[in-house]
């Protein structure tokens, strides 16, 4: 499939079915990781990809920028979750899921 749809179908692979199955498996694996670690662990799945989109693939800059971006996104999300509906607090995990789920689905569709 990495060589293209035409080559894959020429080799006898049902491309649409395979793409659907692989997308479902990727979503299941990501949801399993989030269930084990928690919703805040979702930051570890999304931030490195967004840092790569912003910075590029050079690991000298990618790893420190992913760490800074993860810390800043989590801090901003926590601050917003605490102050948006004052005096009640919105759990930061809910806000992170609202931000992260659409981005993760975008990554799944873009990669496959």
């Amino acid at each position: 499939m990495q060589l293209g749809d035409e080559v894959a179908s020429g080799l006898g692979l049902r491309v649409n079915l395979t793409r659907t199955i692989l997308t479902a498996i990727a979503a299941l694996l990501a949801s399993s990781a989030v269930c084990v670690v928690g919703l805040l662990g979702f930051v570890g799945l999304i931030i490195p990809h967004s840092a790569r989109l912003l910075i590029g693939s050079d690991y000298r800059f990618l790893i420190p920028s992913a760490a800074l971006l993860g810390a800043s996104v989590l801090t901003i999300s926590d601050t917003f979750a605490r102050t948006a509906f004052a005096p009640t607090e919105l759990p930061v995990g809910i806000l992170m899921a609202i931000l992260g789920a659409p981005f993760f689905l975008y990554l799944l569709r873009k990669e496959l």
Side-chain angles (χ1 to χ4, degrees):
M1 290 207 33
Q2 289 184 351
L3 296 175
D5 290 351
E6 295 84 19
V7 175
S9 28
L11 291 172
L13 186 67
R14 293 190 288 180
V15 176
N16 287 334
L17 177 65
T18 304
R19 184 172 284 125
T20 303
I21 290 172
L22 289 176
T23 302
I25 289 172
L28 180 68
L29 289 173
S31 64
S32 299
V34 170
C35 285
V36 170
V37 177
L39 287 174
L40 292 181
F42 202 56
V43 173
L45 295 173
I46 297 300
I47 295 299
H49 292 290
S50 58
R52 178 171 284 133
L53 289 174
L54 293 172
I55 303 298
S57 295
D58 189 5
Y59 286 107
R60 292 177 297 158
F61 304 112
L62 179 63
I63 293 174
S65 65
L68 290 174
L69 186 63
S72 61
V73 164
L74 194 57
T75 302
I76 291 169
S77 297
D78 186 46
T79 302
F80 180 76
R82 289 176 187 261
T83 59
F85 300 105
T88 61
E89 289 184 10
L90 180 69
V92 71
I94 292 174
L95 186 62
M96 292 306 300
I98 290 170
L99 294 175
F103 186 73
F104 185 68
L105 292 175
Y106 163 73
L107 285 177
L108 281 177
R109 292 304 301 166
K110 188 184 108 183
E111 297 282 326
L112 298 175

